Amino acid sequence: MSKTDLEEQIAEHVIEFKDKYYRLAYSYVRNADDALDIIQESIYKAFSSLDSLKNPSYIKTWFYRIVVNTSLDFLRKRKKEIVVSEVFLSANDESKYDSYEDFDLKAALDDLPPNYRSIIILRYFEDLKLQEIAEILNENVNTVKTRLYAGLKKLRIKMNDENWEVSK
Amino acid sequence: MKNNSLEKLKKEYMDIPIPQELDFVVKKALKESRSNSTTMAAKGRFRKAAVVAASTAACVAVLTIGVNTSPAFAKTLSKVPIVSSIVKVLTFREYTVDEGTFNANIKVPEISGLKDEKLQSSLNEKYLKENEKLYEQFVADMEDMKQNGGGHLGVDSGYVVKTDTDRILSIGRYVVNIVGSSSTTFKYDTIDKKNEILITLPSLFKDDSYVDIISENIKEQMKSRHEADDSMIYWVEGVEDEGLVELFEKISKEQNFYINSDGKLVISFDKYDVAPGCMGIQEFVIPTQIISDILVSNEYIK
């Protein structure tokens, strides 16, 4: 396949599934501007590293991987600022009382380390197969499986803890 | 219980609003990436930088041939006593658009007071052309977006005087494009006010070895910045090893630079050139001792 054909395929794919990629980026950075930034940068990265796409049928997992990595880079960079802004937000955000239950679980999900959270998002929200997730995250399937169950367990334990606190 | 909650979470996830700008951002990024990759076959990420550098080089070359290649000319000038410099930078023209979500603010700098009118007018013409083009592009993009249901678009362009000493004037022109996210580019001109010479990067050095020497130093600086603070990410070997981006190898011969008021050479990279966008513009001050052997003279760089 010629390079231009490949580029055409990637472009079509990205345009078709842009909403999915945007949501994924947003789930990391929680902010529309930053998520747009990540999408833009992911596209630049994708086209500057066409060689890393071994087989055109892997475009999906390949591009997911770029978006995940770009998001993680971004979070690493923003780590320090986030600590401040989250404290600030939770002190000033009254809307959480409107939907308390959701907030609980969402907060629990947000609390998971990124590599656990990615797996839950990709598996349950993006409906990807474990094999595909393993390719995206560059891990083997067993590791992904273990982390998925550990992640779910953590979520439930956390929820239980919270419930216990509330009912007390 | 578990599945129920996950369903709820999923719904919330799927409800993440998609901003209007997404379509535009995606198409624009695709257009930029793809047209670059078909015009220049060799380099990946640096294609864009290379195109910009090449075109700047082309328009600078014309005037540098006359002014800059003649050290003899420069020497004669420097012997003539010169009244203290009155070279200034002023805003020559402003373009503004303010239509709700569409904002443009473009300031065109103008240099005055140079006795070499040819140098002065070619710089000023260049500034004016750059900004006219920018303004036209903005209006075209704006119309395009309006037809596609609107959105946010902004461009902010202007200049900063980086250095203004008795000897050196460094002007940086910046362009910030805002489409939900933003991208920033910087271009510099550095003028020797006494000799009225536009200083180019190659003209500072005896030969081309500066490219490798400076590049190596920048790579070391990138690594040590990353070691000191692991949130500082650069696309350089040893820091970013994912193999997903083209890594920084060397600066271009006409790399963006300016000379700061301490007389140090500063190399500048645009957003996305050598690091993720969140790192913004990146500057590296090059220690004078590592280039002192290959400098033509210590007149500018100390």
Side-chain angles (χ1 to χ4, degrees):
Chain A
M1 176 187 291
S2 83
K3 202 171 173 184
T4 357
D5 287 346
L6 182 62
E7 287 193 353
E8 186 59 39
Q9 271 197 30
I10 296 171
E12 274 172 23
H13 175 89
V14 173
I15 289 173
E16 187 176 348
F17 297 109
K18 58 179 187 297
D19 292 5
K20 276 174 173 289
Y21 294 122
Y22 173 81
R23 277 192 206 102
L24 181 63
Y26 186 95
S27 75
Y28 284 98
V29 295
R30 308 253 144 227
N31 161 332
D33 285 354
D34 294 341
L36 285 172
D37 228 351
I38 286 168
I39 295 304
Q40 182 183 2
E41 196 163 322
S42 299
I43 293 173
Y44 290 151
K45 275 192 189 176
F47 280 87
S48 72
S49 58
L50 288 176
D51 300 343
S52 68
L53 177 59
K54 303 279 181 311
N55 179 335
S57 55
Y58 293 152
I59 289 179
K60 184 167 89 171
T61 49
W62 174 73
F63 200 77
Y64 264 121
R65 186 174 164 202
I66 295 175
V67 174
V68 168
N69 283 331
T70 310
S71 304
L72 290 177
D73 272 358
F74 190 94
L75 286 185
R76 256 184 283 170
K77 164 74 185 145
R78 212 183 51 177
K79 204 163 46 185
K80 284 166 197 150
E81 300 155 40
I82 243 184
V83 176
V84 182
S85 66
E86 262 178 12
V87 171
F88 176 80
L89 281 177
S90 57
N92 288 280
D93 181 12
E94 291 178 8
S95 66
K96 67 179 174 185
Y97 299 110
D98 299 342
S99 52
Y100 193 70
E101 253 174 280
D102 286 356
F103 182 82
D104 236 13
L105 188 57
K106 222 171 106 185
L109 183 65
D110 286 351
D111 254 10
L112 285 180
N115 48 0
Y116 290 87
R117 190 162 37 129
S118 307
I119 295 174
I120 292 182
I121 289 175
L122 293 172
R123 179 70 193 90
Y124 292 106
F125 303 168
E126 294 291 338
D127 294 318
L128 294 175
K129 299 191 187 81
L130 287 174
Q131 177 64 42
E132 290 174 317
I133 298 172
E135 275 160 29
I136 292 167
L137 302 178
N138 208 19
E139 301 280 2
N140 71 47
V141 182
N142 285 329
T143 311
V144 171
K145 234 186 248 175
T146 318
R147 281 205 199 134
L148 177 66
Y149 294 129
L152 288 175
K153 208 170 151 197
K154 278 188 192 195
L155 273 188
R156 210 167 38 201
I157 286 171
K158 282 200 169 172
M159 286 183 316
N160 287 344
D161 284 355
E162 296 281 314
N163 287 339
W164 182 73
E165 289 238 345
V166 170
S167 60
K168 196 175 67 169
Chain B
M1 167 64 194
K2 183 186 85 191
N3 283 336
N4 229 339
S5 333
L6 272 173
E7 276 307 307
K8 235 187 203 170
L9 268 188
K10 179 176 180 177
K11 195 178 165 297
E12 211 167 302
Y13 181 85
M14 297 311 284
D15 284 344
I16 290 173
I18 305 292
Q20 282 175 331
E21 293 92 337
L22 179 64
D23 191 53
F24 186 81
V25 168
V26 165
K27 284 186 178 148
K28 197 164 168 150
L30 284 171
K31 202 171 124 197
E32 281 170 14
S33 314
R34 298 183 65 193
S35 57
N36 287 333
S37 46
T38 44
T39 46
M40 293 186 74
K43 281 253 152 187
R45 167 151 295 280
F46 290 99
R47 273 174 217 142
K48 201 167 121 205
V51 174
V52 175
S55 56
T56 329
C59 67
V60 171
V62 183
L63 58 111
T64 38
I65 289 165
V67 194
N68 209 13
T69 54
S70 168
F73 170 72
K75 241 181 206 159
T76 19
L77 257 188
S78 66
K79 280 178 192 151
V80 183
I82 293 179
V83 193
S84 91
S85 170
I86 42 153
V87 179
K88 271 188 293 198
V89 186
L90 297 162
T91 301
F92 170 65
R93 184 179 290 176
E94 274 192 72
Y95 296 95
T96 44
V97 175
D98 188 4
E99 291 187 28
T101 57
F102 299 103
N103 294 288
N105 183 8
I106 299 172
K107 284 194 183 73
V108 187
E110 185 190 48
I111 300 175
S112 66
L114 282 176
K115 274 175 216 72
D116 183 338
E117 286 181 6
K118 208 170 131 200
L119 172 63
Q120 181 167 301
S121 66
S122 46
L123 285 171
N124 287 336
E125 262 169 45
K126 180 174 81 174
Y127 299 155
L128 191 56
K129 265 196 197 134
E130 275 175 3
N131 286 291
E132 272 172 355
K133 216 177 127 197
L134 194 65
Y135 176 73
E136 281 162 16
Q137 182 63 45
F138 176 81
V139 173
D141 283 347
M142 179 172 77
E143 294 307 323
D144 194 37
M145 272 181 118
K146 275 183 184 165
Q147 279 173 9
N148 288 305
H152 296 259
L153 190 63
V155 63
D156 186 3
S157 170
Y159 57 91
V160 280
V161 177
K162 278 282 186 182
T163 310
D164 189 2
T165 63
D166 289 346
R167 191 66 192 269
I168 299 276
L169 175 68
S170 276
I171 313 167
R173 287 106 60 220
Y174 61 85
V175 180
V176 185
N177 270 304
I178 307 145
V179 192
S181 63
S182 71
S183 73
T184 313
T185 57
F186 247 103
K187 281 190 230 163
Y188 294 100
D189 282 327
T190 296
I191 298 166
D192 171 350
K193 292 203 290 196
K194 202 158 126 204
N195 294 332
E196 309 219 327
I197 292 174
L198 181 74
I199 303 167
T200 65
L201 194 56
S203 74
L204 292 169
F205 298 100
K206 290 175 191 155
D207 54 42
D208 286 350
S209 61
Y210 72 91
V211 171
D212 290 329
I213 294 174
I214 291 175
S215 303
E216 282 313 308
N217 180 265
I218 289 175
K219 284 189 217 170
E220 279 166 30
Q221 290 197 40
M222 286 174 171
K223 274 179 245 177
S224 56
R225 284 184 195 179
H226 177 72
E227 273 158 28
D229 177 353
D230 68 358
S231 66
M232 306 273 279
I233 312 281
Y234 292 96
W235 291 324
V236 68
E237 208 180 313
V239 176
E240 165 75 61
D241 294 323
E242 288 277 354
L244 282 172
V245 284
E246 190 97 9
L247 297 177
F248 169 71
E249 272 168 29
K250 51 171 81 169
I251 58 169
S252 87
K253 277 190 189 176
E254 301 283 347
Q255 185 69 42
N256 245 326
F257 78 99
Y258 64 90
I259 297 171
N260 70 16
S261 48
D262 298 333
K264 298 275 184 294
L265 178 67
V266 183
I267 298 288
S268 161
F269 294 96
D270 286 342
K271 198 171 169 181
Y272 301 114
D273 269 3
V274 293
C278 54
M279 300 275 293
I281 298 268
Q282 286 296 310
E283 288 186 351
F284 296 89
V285 178
I286 306 301
T288 303
Q289 74 264 22
I290 69 150
I291 45 173
S292 57
D293 287 348
I294 50 167
L295 281 172
V296 173
S297 79
N298 279 65
E299 254 182 274
Y300 306 130
I301 296 185
K302 296 180 174 87

